[in-house]
Amino acid sequence: MAVTQFNPTCSKTHLHSSQLPFLSRTLPRHRHCTIAPLHRTQQARICCSVAPNEVQVPAVKTSDPKSKPECYGVFCLTYDLRAEEETRSWKKLINIAVSGAAGMIANHLLFKLASGEVFGPDQPIALKLLGSERSIQALEGVAMELEDSLFPLLREVSIGIDPYEVFQDAEWALLIGAKPRGPGMERADLLDINGQIYAAQGRALNAVASRNVKVIVVGNPCNTNALICLKNAPNIPAKNFHALTRLDENRAKCQLALKAGVFYDKVSNVTIWGNHSTTQVPDFLNARIDGLPVKEVVKDQKWLEEEFTEKVQKRGGALIQKWGRSSAASTSVSIVDAIRSLVTPTPEGDWFSSGVYSDGNPYGIAEGIVFSMPCRSKGDGDYELVKDVIFDDYLQQRIAKV
Ligand code: LMR
C-alpha cells in the first residue's frame, strides 16, 4: 500500500532562486508534485490551489526534512510507491520544459504529456512550465488543472517566468511561447519579436539545460527561430534542434487520403521540404498510398501540383480565417507525433519530416540553415536523414525556390 508522507510545518513559503534547482530533484519511485513559480529577479513564491489547513489526510512527518523541498498543501504529499508492482519497473524521471505553457497549444499538449501517451506508460515526467509575467496567474490555473487530473506519471510541476530557472536540467524543451500570427499576417512578420525570444531561450538552454536536450521549436517563424535558438546554444549539438513541420506533414497526409478515398493510415513517406511557411514543398513524388507511389493512385498531376500543394501551404492561414486565431489542438497533436517519432523506431521503409540543421545533408540543400527534410529514428531521441529519396525536375525546382 502506498505510504503518504506530509510535512505539516509547511506554509506559504518564499524561496530564494538558489534553492530552486533543488525543487526539480525527485527521488526515484516517489511521486512528488511541486508547483513553484520561478523568477530570477524576484523572490520565488510557492503556491498551490490548496491551503495547508485544507489538507485533511493523516500526515506522516518526513524522517529527513532535507529530503523534501519546501512546499505546502497537496504538493507536500509524497507517495512511497517502492512496493507497488507497477511503479517498480518505471524508468528514471525526465524533465520536460514547455514554453508558452499558459497558451492554447500547451493546454492541449500538457495533458497528453502527463497522461503517458507521448513518452510511454512507464515514463514518469517532471513538467517545467515557462510563462510570462502577464500569464503567471493562468499558469497557476494550468498547474491546478494538472493537479486535478491525478496523472500517476506526473511527479513534479514547476512554473516560472525565467528560462534560466525553468530550463534547468531540461531533457526536452518544447518551445511554443511566441507571439502568434493573426488574420492577414505572414509568419515571417513575427520574426523581429519572436527572434528575440528564441535568442534568449537559446542562451538559457545553453547555460542550464541537459547537454543532450532535444528542442522542438513551434513558435513562428519556426525554422528561423530554431536557427536563432541553436546559434545561441553552441554547447548543445545543432542536431538536437527541430522546427515543427510535422503539422504540415499531417495536413498533407490528410489531403492525400481524402483525394484517394483511403483512411489516413494508408498514407506514408510524406516529406515536407523547407520551411513551415507558404513556400514549403509537400513532396508527392516520394509519398505513398497503401505502399504505392501517390502518382499511381492519384492520377491528377495538376491537382497534386496546384490544389494539393497550395492547400497544405495555406492551411494555417485558412484556419486563422475560420477561428480568428491560429490552430492549437492539431498543432499539439503534431508536437506529440514529432516527439513520438524520435522516441520510437520509425517503421521500416517510412520516415517523418522535421526541420533540422542542414549541415551535411545529402540533397544539396544549402548548409547552415534549418530546413525540413525526411528523417528516420531508432527511437533513441536522435535521427538520421533518409538517403533513398528521388527527385524530378518539378521537385528540384520547387525546393530550390524555398
Ligand atoms: C499553423 O500552421 O497552423 C501555425 O503555424 C499557425 C499559423 O500561423 O499558421
Side-chain angles (χ1 to χ4, degrees):
M1 215 177 77
V3 175
T4 304
Q5 295 180 318
F6 173 59
N7 178 355
T9 60
C10 289
S11 61
K12 199 164 190 171
T13 310
H14 292 269
L15 291 184
H16 186 268
S17 60
S18 62
Q19 293 171 274
L20 291 168
F22 181 58
L23 290 178
S24 50
R25 258 179 258 132
T26 305
L27 293 173
R29 299 198 188 96
H30 284 246
R31 176 175 190 243
H32 173 231
C33 295
T34 304
I35 291 192
L38 305 171
H39 194 306
R40 202 156 175 238
T41 48
Q42 298 167 3
Q43 290 265 308
R45 179 172 56 90
I46 298 285
C47 72
C48 95
S49 56
V50 181
N53 63 4
E54 289 177 314
V55 179
Q56 301 291 315
V57 292
V60 179
K61 265 194 178 169
T62 321
S63 50
D64 173 11
K66 286 209 183 94
S67 72
K68 272 166 68 61
E70 291 189 71
C71 57
Y72 80 91
V74 72
F75 303 108
C76 292
L77 303 180
T78 300
Y79 303 94
D80 183 352
L81 300 175
R82 273 170 299 195
E84 304 280 330
E85 194 55 45
E86 190 193 347
T87 55
R88 197 177 310 152
S89 58
W90 279 2
K91 295 175 183 158
K92 189 172 159 287
L93 180 97
I94 55 169
N95 293 317
I96 304 167
V98 180
S99 77
M104 291 200 56
I105 298 172
N107 202 246
H108 290 278
L109 177 66
L110 293 172
F111 293 80
K112 293 174 187 296
L113 292 168
S115 73
E117 77 176 85
V118 185
F119 288 97
D122 57 351
Q123 179 59 75
I125 63 168
L127 286 176
K128 296 159 149 287
L129 309 182
L130 182 68
S132 62
E133 203 115 27
R134 213 160 42 94
S135 70
I136 194 74
Q137 286 265 350
L139 208 48
E140 290 178 15
V142 170
M144 286 162 63
E145 286 207 76
L146 284 167
E147 167 185 49
D148 292 344
S149 301
L150 312 179
F151 290 118
L153 292 161
L154 181 60
R155 305 293 194 82
E156 195 177 314
V157 178
S158 57
I159 68 178
I161 63 174
D162 181 349
Y164 283 84
E165 285 170 349
V166 176
F167 292 167
Q168 186 77 47
D169 300 326
E171 290 153 286
W172 286 85
L174 312 177
L175 304 184
I176 302 168
K179 183 178 159 59
R181 95 174 145 134
M185 290 172 80
E186 281 305 320
R187 296 184 184 102
D189 299 339
L190 302 166
L191 186 56
D192 271 358
I193 177 141
N194 290 342
Q196 288 173 39
I197 294 173
Y198 281 89
Q201 295 191 355
R203 288 194 291 274
L205 287 168
N206 197 51
V208 299
S210 154
R211 297 304 76 185
N212 198 28
V213 62
K214 304 288 188 285
V215 184
I216 299 186
V217 175
V218 180
N220 281 317
C222 64
N223 290 60
T224 314
N225 289 339
L227 185 64
I228 291 171
C229 197
L230 75 86
K231 289 288 177 197
N232 280 279
N235 297 335
I236 296 168
K239 205 183 174 201
N240 291 15
F241 290 76
H242 297 258
L244 185 79
T245 54
R246 186 54 171 267
L247 179 56
D248 307 294
E249 177 186 322
N250 290 356
R251 288 168 172 169
K253 282 181 169 163
C254 173
Q255 294 306 317
L256 289 173
L258 271 171
K259 180 74 174 174
V262 299
F263 199 59
Y264 317 126
D265 62 352
K266 297 281 183 285
V267 186
S268 65
N269 303 79
V270 173
T271 306
I272 299 297
W273 296 94
N275 292 332
H276 175 60
S277 78
T278 49
T279 62
Q280 68 178 269
V281 183
D283 177 350
F284 53 81
L285 180 66
N286 289 283
R288 295 186 163 255
I289 295 176
D290 224 352
L292 294 170
V294 162
K295 292 207 301 189
E296 284 181 26
V297 181
V298 178
K299 296 185 174 126
D300 186 345
Q301 183 74 13
K302 189 168 157 52
W303 180 86
L304 288 167
E305 286 183 12
E306 293 172 14
E307 218 172 306
F308 162 71
T309 299
E310 191 173 316
K311 215 166 201 162
V312 178
Q313 290 170 331
K314 297 193 173 162
R315 186 72 161 183
L319 273 159
I320 292 172
Q321 291 301 329
K322 296 283 180 198
W323 270 114
R325 54 129 180 106
S326 50
S327 63
S330 56
T331 304
S332 83
V333 169
S334 71
I335 298 169
V336 168
D337 290 341
I339 299 170
R340 284 172 56 83
S341 287
L342 291 167
V343 299
T344 50
T346 310
E348 189 62 37
D350 202 0
W351 59 70
F352 58 91
S353 303
S354 188
V356 293
Y357 199 52
S358 61
D359 275 17
N361 78 82
Y363 319 112
I365 288 159
E367 306 235 317
I369 57 174
V370 170
F371 201 91
S372 183
M373 298 183 266
C375 306
R376 289 183 54 79
S377 176
K378 295 189 176 77
D380 54 1
D382 213 343
Y383 66 89
E384 60 200 30
L385 294 174
V386 175
K387 296 205 175 63
D388 48 344
V389 286
I390 52 169
F391 294 91
D392 60 7
D393 287 348
Y394 170 85
L395 185 58
Q396 218 136 28
Q397 280 163 19
R398 294 303 291 252
I399 291 174
K401 280 195 196 148
V402 173

